[in-house]
Amino acid sequence: MASQNIKILGIDTSCDDTAIALLEVKNSNFKIISNTVSSQVKIHAKYGGVYPFLAKREHQKNLPVVFEKVLRILGGPTSRKILREVGPLKIDFVTVTVGPGLEPCLWQGINFAKEIAKKYKKSLISVNHIEAHILANFISEHYGGPASIVFPAVALVVSGGHTQLVLMKAIGKYKLIGETRDDAAGECLDKVARILGLGYPGGPAIAATAAKMVGRRVSDQLPRPMIRQKNYDFSFSGLKTAVLYKVKKGNYDKIEMCYEVQQAIIDVLMHKTIKAARDFGVKSIILGGGVAANEELRKQFDYKLKTLNYKLNFLVPPKNLCTDNAAMVAATAYFHRKDVRKNIKAEANLRIS
Ligand code: KG4
Ligand code: ZN
């Protein structure tokens, strides 16, 4: 395999997005040729969360459609019957997320990836979704040149399913140093949005409502769970309960509540991440995952890190690479391209270390 110009087909169906991407790696530059995501938001919105078996059915329906879109970009055949027509596929290998995620959803992507790899005689690389959220930071077009992470680093992966702090010595050398003991930060935002009748996904809805707070007095009425504890763990279910309690009592302001919950989450995430960075003496802080698309979180992290008395590199992917996508999966597979395995299977509870 030539190491100078590699094309990778990535697939992710770990939750409610059907994502297929085509990534080109040329002289350490990661260039996205296609990053296609078919969202199921409208389907799950009425339930206020993701229903795994509904998501599985949608993935099954969407995968061939999304694949066809990507093939068109590649200049390949465009028929819906594409999987039955073995034509040349101008890629070097196929990669798929195997976990963590919703098992029935993961299997849809894995079986589809296996089928493509077999039909087109390409090797198949498995990817950890959490690592992919971190390595999304390598997709360099955002930086206008080859992106690099200065190690050691602390990565905060903050999404609908996970809130984890990962110590990175190098690519592939990870230690999970902290995680949520109950709800993930995104899950908390989704649940609070549901309580406040703001729809799904909750993160963007809460952020938009919180933005209307400009110029108003802030009361800091919600707790900052575990912020004073000496570990790197999180807990967000109490925050949701605190909101529920205030809503049940009545006499609350929706804009203020959104602002408060978002700020409480930001305070805890920043405090614990910076504490970990100091304690382990790292050189970089890296963000990833859907909640890292939050404008306030990005702004406040950037500002805070500039005011510290020691320098830390700060990396966060562009917003479309924070939420679930397959370009990040392809980028991750590039680093593991020698690790070709047989019998790839869904690993719903896959850990990073
Ligand atoms: O990474 P992701 O797309 O899927 C998982 O792996 O879970 O993250 C989805 C989560 C949801 O909880 C959603 O509410 C949250 O990310 N999210 C945001 C924003 N965009 C998505 N939270 C805060 N602000 C946003 N702009
Ligand atoms: Zn994710």
Side-chain angles (χ1 to χ4, degrees), residues 12 14-15 100 129-130 133 157 159-162 289-290 322-325 328:
D12 187 287
S14 58
C15 192
H129 186 79
I130 300 289
H133 271 307
V157 180
S159 70
H162 299 90
C322 287
T323 46
D324 283 351
N325 66 87
M328 67 182 194

Side-chain angles (χ1 to χ4, degrees), residues 10-76:
I11 299 173
D12 187 287
T13 58
S14 58
C15 192
D16 61 338
D17 289 312
T18 312
I20 304 187
L22 196 60
L23 188 83
E24 188 175 30
V25 189
K26 231 187 220 174
N27 302 325
S28 309
N29 247 317
F30 289 62
K31 185 172 176 287
I32 295 172
I33 299 172
S34 165
N35 190 18
T36 311
V37 180
S38 171
S39 167
Q40 302 176 10
V41 158
K42 282 196 187 126
I43 289 156
H44 299 286
K46 49 181 174 280
Y47 306 103
V50 180
Y51 268 68
F53 285 92
L54 211 55
K56 172 196 155 172
R57 198 190 66 191
E58 288 304 304
H59 285 311
Q60 201 166 11
K61 217 167 68 188
N62 294 339
L63 275 163
V65 181
V66 178
F67 183 52
E68 194 189 336
K69 276 190 194 162
V70 174
L71 278 181
R72 243 180 247 149
I73 292 161
L74 261 182

